Amino acid sequence: MENETLTITDNRTGKTYTVQLFKGAVRSMDLRQIKTETDEFGLMCYDPAFMNTASCQSSITYIDGDKGILRYRGYPIEVLAEKCSFLETAYLVLNGDLPNKSQLDEFTAEITRHTMLHENTKKLMEGFHYDAHPMGMLVSSVAALSTFYPEAKNVHDPAIRHLETIRLIAKMATIAAHCYRHNLGMPYVYPDNSLNDTENFMSMLWKRAEPKYEPNPVLARALEILFILHMDHEQNCSTNAMRAVGSSLADPYVTTAAAIAALYGPLHGGANEQVLRMLDEIGSVENVPAFVDKIKAGKGRLMGFGHRVYKNYDPRAKIIKQAAEAVFGVTGKNPKLEIALELERVALSDEYFIKRKLYPNVDFYSGIIYQAMGFTTEMFTVLFAIPRAVGWLAQWQEMIQDPEQKIARPRQIFTGHWLRDFVPMEKR
Ligand code: ACO
């Protein structure tokens, strides 16, 4: 398009600059030429928390936060959640297109082959305290995989990248299930490769003395839908961590561990755990208005509400709300659902939340489903991390292959002492 330029006048010097726009954005480096003295550093952008900075070009996930749209590789999330399996969606996110039958069979066989963990990983996990938080165990165990696969550091080798991507996706579920069993003091269950990926995960979680675990198909499908919904979400906090750490060319295991650490925080993936704690604190439907008043008075946040990008209903929350019905048909209703529904009703009709465009996000209902399925609260963020690993790895692969990417290294505006005279210890 013609005239895709910006004219900037620097009122300090009176000079005018014409800057070419790039895909509707300003390249920050083009601002560097704007200076008052020739030996000056040049103009920078100040953008704490990256509120208005695109850090990359990506073709994986599209979000329109105002319209409540989420698409992976061009496909609406609603369609994928209804029609696809977890591995079919994972193939799409990683490779750009939906697989045909033989591609999916091959991908499934590859993932299935790599679900086993080295026995020493199991031994390492046995060393955790009985009540260790599963996210702490997950971060450490995924990082430890780096020591078992030292060739993973060859991140510029496409065959190695592919193998480690498959390994990571396959082993995340096994490690997650071991974390769960560890907290319960139950022996770890080895993968059963005659089951599909979600059913196998359920077997590793819940198998007891029976010779073969029989997964409930409704719960297996609900879990699969939740996994599809959580697979990728463009440049969120943990994906940004994945790209930033990966940009130093660290191997994908330690890089994924960094992303898991970012996900752990209560403002990100840790929110679903906080939602359940909040519902416990509210206790009953009658207490909802008083709780909302407390939030409006600035005492805490409504967990599972609000989003940096969505200023409308999070499309994932809508699908999860529907999936909840199917799950509760099997497990019986989670009594916390009534409190959550009332909380949503009160908040969505309240001026405070309307004005700030605060709607339920993906975490508002996911915890209620997970709890009804029998998961402990601490496991919720782990359940988020399993499918999100697919997104992290797709973004990592994209970053490694992007010729414009370099080691991520922001600038700062220095606000400290300029130059100080050293004072010896006895004179301080
Ligand atoms: N409850 C009450 N008020 C809120 C909430 C909330 N959950 N979220 C935002 N606000 C208010 C803020 O206090 C602020 O009000 P002000 O303008 O009067 O100061 C305004 O809304 C804007 O909030 P910001 O903090 O600027 O929004 P930001 O985009 O930085 O934060 C975030 C997004 C972190 C998700 C925030 O909404 C939040 O803390 N939500 C609760 C935690 C949560 O559910 N996280 C999960 C997000 S989804 C995910 O990571 C998978």
Side-chain angles (χ1 to χ4, degrees):
M1 210 192 286
E2 273 180 34
N3 278 337
E4 286 289 290
T5 59
L6 201 68
T7 302
I8 304 166
T9 303
D10 185 344
N11 293 325
R12 299 171 299 176
T13 59
K15 273 196 198 165
T16 295
Y17 302 82
T18 300
V19 172
Q20 186 70 42
L21 293 184
F22 174 72
K23 302 189 179 182
V26 177
R27 279 188 182 272
S28 286
M29 282 302 286
D30 284 346
L31 302 181
R32 190 70 76 74
Q33 58 179 313
I34 303 176
K35 33 177 103 169
T36 50
E37 307 283 344
T38 39
D39 59 350
E40 215 180 56
F41 184 76
L43 203 65
M44 291 189 300
C45 288
Y46 176 56
D47 188 11
F50 309 122
M51 297 284 287
N52 195 35
T53 295
S55 64
C56 62
Q57 299 182 60
S58 180
S59 60
I60 301 170
T61 292
Y62 174 78
I63 303 175
D64 184 328
D66 290 327
K67 297 196 181 112
I69 292 175
L70 169 60
R71 293 180 196 139
Y72 299 157
R73 304 283 191 184
Y75 295 98
I77 192 67
E78 295 80 3
V79 175
L80 297 172
E82 189 194 333
K83 299 190 189 302
C84 285
S85 69
F86 171 66
L87 287 184
E88 203 177 349
T89 316
Y91 185 99
L92 169 73
V93 167
L94 287 166
N95 299 294
D97 289 304
L98 283 167
N100 61 29
K101 172 87 172 67
S102 72
Q103 286 167 328
L104 181 60
D105 288 349
E106 193 186 322
F107 183 62
T108 305
E110 275 186 302
I111 296 279
T112 309
R113 198 177 317 133
H114 288 285
T115 50
M116 292 287 283
L117 293 175
H118 192 291
E119 276 298 289
N120 287 355
T121 318
K122 204 181 103 184
K123 284 188 199 144
L124 178 126
M125 294 188 72
E126 278 163 1
F128 288 116
H129 206 284
Y130 72 95
D131 63 352
H133 195 289
M135 279 300 277
M137 291 194 266
L138 185 71
V139 171
S140 326
S141 307
V142 169
L145 291 180
S146 155
T147 64
F148 293 94
Y149 306 108
E151 73 279 11
K153 66 167 87 63
N154 298 316
V155 296
H156 288 305
D157 181 332
I160 298 243
R161 279 204 308 272
H162 174 76
L163 177 60
E164 310 311 337
T165 297
I166 296 287
R167 278 188 175 138
L168 259 160
I169 294 170
K171 292 181 200 308
M172 281 286 289
T174 313
I175 293 176
H178 284 12
C179 294
Y180 177 79
R181 305 276 295 199
H182 186 85
N183 285 152
L184 298 179
M186 292 173 79
Y188 304 160
V189 173
Y190 287 100
D192 177 348
N193 288 344
S194 69
L195 297 170
N196 81 18
D197 50 290
T198 324
E199 295 166 347
N200 173 44
F201 180 51
M202 292 168 78
S203 166
M204 292 190 290
L205 291 165
W206 293 313
K207 184 172 182 293
R208 288 177 181 251
E210 68 273 35
K212 188 163 178 72
Y213 180 78
E214 301 280 348
N216 179 300
V218 176
L219 298 188
R221 181 59 194 155
L223 206 51
E224 194 165 37
I225 291 173
L226 283 156
F227 279 5
I228 291 170
L229 299 181
H230 284 90
M231 201 171 282
D232 194 53
H233 213 234
E234 51 119 305
Q235 306 311 313
N236 54 82
C237 177
S238 55
T239 302
N240 185 53
M242 184 86 188
R243 281 181 175 262
V245 174
S247 76
S248 76
L249 307 185
D251 76 56
Y253 297 101
V254 290
T255 304
T256 302
I260 298 170
L263 188 73
Y264 193 0
L267 295 188
H268 191 11
N272 52 13
E273 192 178 332
Q274 298 307 321
V275 170
L276 265 282
R277 297 197 195 289
M278 175 184 75
L279 296 177
D280 280 339
E281 187 192 329
I282 297 172
S284 69
V285 170
E286 305 80 68
N287 298 335
V288 166
F291 186 82
V292 170
D293 285 346
K294 204 175 91 177
I295 300 286
K296 283 161 60 183
K299 295 190 187 120
R301 290 199 160 192
L302 199 52
M303 299 314 287
F305 256 72
H307 199 276
R308 172 61 59 80
V309 178
Y310 292 118
K311 301 302 170 197
N312 198 326
Y313 214 101
D314 182 336
R316 300 167 300 173
K318 267 188 207 153
I319 302 168
I320 291 181
K321 218 170 151 184
Q322 289 156 11
E325 293 302 323
V327 170
F328 296 149
V330 175
T331 62
K333 221 170 219 166
N334 184 338
K336 296 202 180 86
L337 181 67
E338 298 303 330
I339 306 175
L341 288 169
E342 179 62 5
L343 198 53
E344 181 187 329
R345 193 192 64 74
V346 171
L348 292 186
S349 53
D350 191 294
E351 187 54 28
Y352 175 96
F353 296 91
I354 295 169
K355 206 173 106 201
R356 290 169 180 78
K357 299 190 176 166
L358 299 170
Y359 292 86
N361 60 48
V362 68
D363 283 329
F364 192 64
Y365 287 105
S366 63
I368 300 174
I369 303 189
Y370 286 142
Q371 192 175 58
M373 283 181 174
F375 287 105
T376 48
T377 322
E378 289 75 18
M379 274 299 287
F380 297 170
T381 316
V382 173
L383 295 165
F384 191 156
I386 297 170
R388 184 53 63 87
V390 176
W392 290 331
L393 288 157
Q395 300 269 353
W396 170 74
Q397 294 252 17
E398 192 175 62
M399 182 271 301
I400 294 278
Q401 292 171 80
D402 181 345
E404 276 204 303
Q405 290 292 335
K406 290 166 177 267
I407 186 164
R409 204 308 186 178
R411 296 279 173 179
Q412 64 169 6
I413 295 174
F414 180 68
T415 59
H417 293 282
W418 188 244
L419 183 64
R420 305 172 92 182
D421 287 330
F422 180 76
V423 182
M425 181 70 85
E426 59 280 9
K427 294 200 176 153
R428 276 179 228 160

